[in-house]
Amino acid sequence: MRLPGTAHTRLPWRVHELTGDFTVEDVWSFRTPGAGPDDFPTMLAAMRTAGGIAKLPRPARSLFTLRWRIGALLGWDRPSSGVGARVGSLRDRLPDDLRDAPRGADSATMPLRAVYELDTESARELANRTVHTVMHLGWVRGADGDHELRMAVLVKPNGLFGRLYMAAIAPFRYLVVYPALTRRWERAWRDHAERTPR
């Protein structure tokens, strides 16, 4: 379910210390029935077990494939446009306690690279010629008392081109990508709950 930006900005996430020059593009919530306050690592593990982009439904996979083909044709995703080249990594901004904390695992199935991973939140980043983006995952107590997963997408577009790009892909994010992620991640939680009854 889509949420307002304040659903992210009003909470005391550590990522705020690193992203003052980013804007909140999207905030999304994912239902995790029966989840408790200590289940964020369990949810991350369930998401990893569920697989990456290759496991999404065909329409979402097709959009990613199309984007990567266009990016390859136009040179959007060259290493010179990425984190550590065109832009510095958020890891360079980490305070000592976050730098010493677990980073989280990188995976070939996930194009975003880990910045940090804590008990209730994690951050990953990606940069190319269009944008520097951060995916923040957080663990929040919902209105029903259960905890739920929240995803915030923070962006720093690369000039006018980046802003136009973000505007162009917005309908595809809302109509295809985020609904597919919602079904996949919520199913990952249900599958985990079925395997490990409380």
Side-chain angles (χ1 to χ4, degrees), residues 31-45:
R31 293 167 297 192
T32 51
D38 300 323
D39 282 333
F40 182 58
T42 302
M43 181 61 194
L44 293 182

Side-chain angles (χ1 to χ4, degrees), residues 31 50 182-192 194:
R31 293 167 297 192
T182 298
R183 290 189 295 272
R184 190 75 189 160
W185 289 355
E186 290 182 353
R187 181 68 201 176
W189 175 260
R190 292 194 303 273
D191 288 347
H192 165 78
E194 290 168 5

Side-chain angles (χ1 to χ4, degrees), residues 24-190:
V24 178
E25 183 74 15
D26 298 310
V27 182
W28 216 261
S29 70
F30 304 86
R31 293 167 297 192
T32 51
D38 300 323
D39 282 333
F40 182 58
T42 302
M43 181 61 194
L44 293 182
M47 291 162 62
R48 290 174 183 132
T49 299
I53 292 168
K55 298 288 188 176
L56 290 174
R58 184 184 301 272
R61 288 199 321 269
S62 298
L63 282 176
F64 280 107
T65 299
L66 177 62
R67 162 58 185 85
W68 288 328
R69 286 180 180 167
I70 293 172
L73 181 67
L74 301 178
W76 290 353
D77 304 312
R78 292 178 181 149
S80 60
S81 300
V83 171
R86 186 180 71 78
V87 299
S89 172
L90 289 188
R91 285 197 58 81
D92 299 335
R93 305 182 184 188
L94 292 179
D96 290 342
D97 65 321
L98 284 183
R99 185 169 287 116
D100 294 339
R103 180 179 179 185
D106 285 327
S107 167
T109 64
M110 168 67 78
L112 292 97
R113 295 294 170 238
V115 178
Y116 66 84
E117 189 172 298
L118 305 176
D119 291 339
T120 58
E121 65 174 297
S122 71
R124 293 179 168 271
E125 66 180 336
L126 170 73
N128 51 44
R129 280 190 59 200
T130 65
V131 70
H132 185 186
T133 187
V134 177
M135 181 181 74
H136 178 266
L137 298 176
W139 201 236
V140 179
R141 184 172 182 174
D144 62 0
D146 290 341
H147 278 65
E148 66 183 23
L149 182 70
R150 296 265 179 94
M151 178 184 71
V153 177
L154 314 171
V155 299
K156 185 160 53 168
N158 187 14
L160 177 61
F161 171 59
R163 291 192 294 274
L164 291 173
Y165 171 82
M166 291 303 298
I169 68 170
F172 302 103
R173 293 198 316 271
Y174 298 140
L175 296 175
V176 180
V177 175
Y178 291 153
L181 279 180
T182 298
R183 290 189 295 272
R184 190 75 189 160
W185 289 355
E186 290 182 353
R187 181 68 201 176
W189 175 260
R190 292 194 303 273

